[in-house]
Amino acid sequence: MSVHEKMNYETKQAIKKALLTQIEEVGFQRVTVKNLALTAKINRGTFYLHYADKFEVMEDLQQELLNALQSYIEKVQPVEAFHTLQTGQLYHPFIVVIQFIKEHAKAFRIILSEQGSPTFSKKMKDVFSNHILKNLTLSQTEVLDPIFEKYLQAFITSAILGVIQEWLEGEDADLSVEEMATIHLRIVRFISNLSDL
Amino acid sequence: MSVHEKMNYETKQAIKKALLTQIEEVGFQRVTVKNLALTAKINRGTFYLHYADKFEVMEDLQQELLNALQSYIEKVQPVEAFHTLQTGQLYHPFIVVIQFIKEHAKAFRIILSEQGSPTFSKKMKDVFSNHILKNLTLSQTEVLDPIFEKYLQAFITSAILGVIQEWLEGEDADLSVEEMATIHLRIVRFISNLSDL
DNA sequence: CAGTATACTCAACACGTTGTTCAGTAAAGG
DNA sequence: CCTTTACTGAACAACGTGTTGAGTATACTG
């Protein structure tokens, strides 16, 4: 177990970068601490000064991405987003979210991929739920059946994530950030209209 | 590597069952061949007569579920399903699909879960794509933009799987098989109407 | 400038898991 | 009755793990 508290920031980053490289090569399941240290060009002993095991590195890496994602998503105001969409404009705070994902496309793709971590999808969906959906349901006049709302939530967050994953898997991101943002806003607006589902 | 070809069916089943038990206890990542053999009450050497490693067991288990799922989904005729839905009836072949998932709820839940395999979600989506969507797009008069269709496919398959996962995670499946089937048919009918997305 | 703290290296350790091998056995079937 | 089939049990080297203790290079501090 890691006892030290104050350690070099760069080394941790090198280990996280090494994890991504290794996942891409052999899949998370087959990643070893030995190869992680080798790839990060540090001593294996040094690894244990920073992390207890490869799972802890994965946790750290995921949290890093999720915290940033959340901070950008918090700035999105769904109601405003719809307004700008209906006037044919692009809503900037949402563009920023998609832009962030594109900038970290490699990391997102690897962690979300078949070789990655099954927990990450769920965590991303939770980030979506906690902001976009909260705003949506609050802005609705009628109160929905709680059970139905649960499934509606699963429906929309899964759909959004599914589209993002498809986007990330396209080698050179066949759609631009702006096109992606438009698709997502259409999806969310679409769902918000579905009183008949 | 497993060299033998003819082996006892029950032993393989015992190993697969042990895998599910072990995943539930410690997560797939921490499953060992040793504990697999222990749980299945077989000799560790016997394990290697059937599988090369735990990944091969997982593959086998997944294929077993996917093949059965596919065979049931093939019997679903989306067009007929909509017709019966519009007359307020339940479309039986679709009920059978949901019924199958419920019967194997534990296996699906564990493999889809946070402790499970990230590849399985994708494989399930593929099964959905290859049947329901093929039928849907074929029955449509207008041909869609291929890129848009790709994202539409990601959208609907992710949404369906997301709802199923939500259903499986609910301890005692808060919705009946019939209610689940209705929700899914509504989703699919809903998507098929979305010319404005 | 000497002294100390920090971050890391290096080698070694016991331990557990892996994958393979080979001799042995229990049961079923021709 | 004897062979085949499916499995057991024990042993093996090889490898990864997590920890330890001694050592080093660099930066900071009084």
Side-chain angles (χ1 to χ4, degrees), chain A residues 43-60:
Chain A
N43 191 275
R44 196 168 62 86
T46 308
F47 175 91
Y48 291 105
L49 296 176
H50 295 270
Y51 297 105
D53 50 34
K54 63 173 178 170
F55 304 101
E56 232 180 73
V57 186
M58 182 56 116
E59 276 300 308
D60 194 10

Side-chain angles (χ1 to χ4, degrees), chain B residues 6-8 11 42-44 46 50:
Chain B
K6 299 214 165 185
M7 283 152 300
N8 192 344
T11 305
I42 56 162
N43 191 276
R44 197 169 62 85
T46 308
H50 295 271

Side-chain angles (χ1 to χ4, degrees), chain A residues 29 31 48 52 77-78 101 139 142 152 168 180 193:
Chain A
Q29 322 265 24
V31 169
Y48 291 105
Q77 301 276 340
I101 294 174
S139 69
E142 44 182 339
L152 185 61
L168 291 172
M180 252 298 108
N193 290 339

Side-chain angles (χ1 to χ4, degrees), chain A residues 147-161:
Chain A
I147 290 178
F148 177 78
E149 195 170 323
K150 190 178 79 170
Y151 286 104
L152 185 61
Q153 195 153 312
F155 174 88
I156 181 168
T157 55
S158 302
I160 289 176
L161 184 59

Side-chain angles (χ1 to χ4, degrees), chain A residues 111-128:
Chain A
I111 300 178
L112 285 170
S113 83
E114 321 197 359
Q115 304 291 11
S117 150
T119 69
F120 197 62
S121 302
K122 185 152 206 176
K123 288 179 189 162
M124 278 190 75
K125 287 182 198 172
D126 286 345
V127 172
F128 297 152

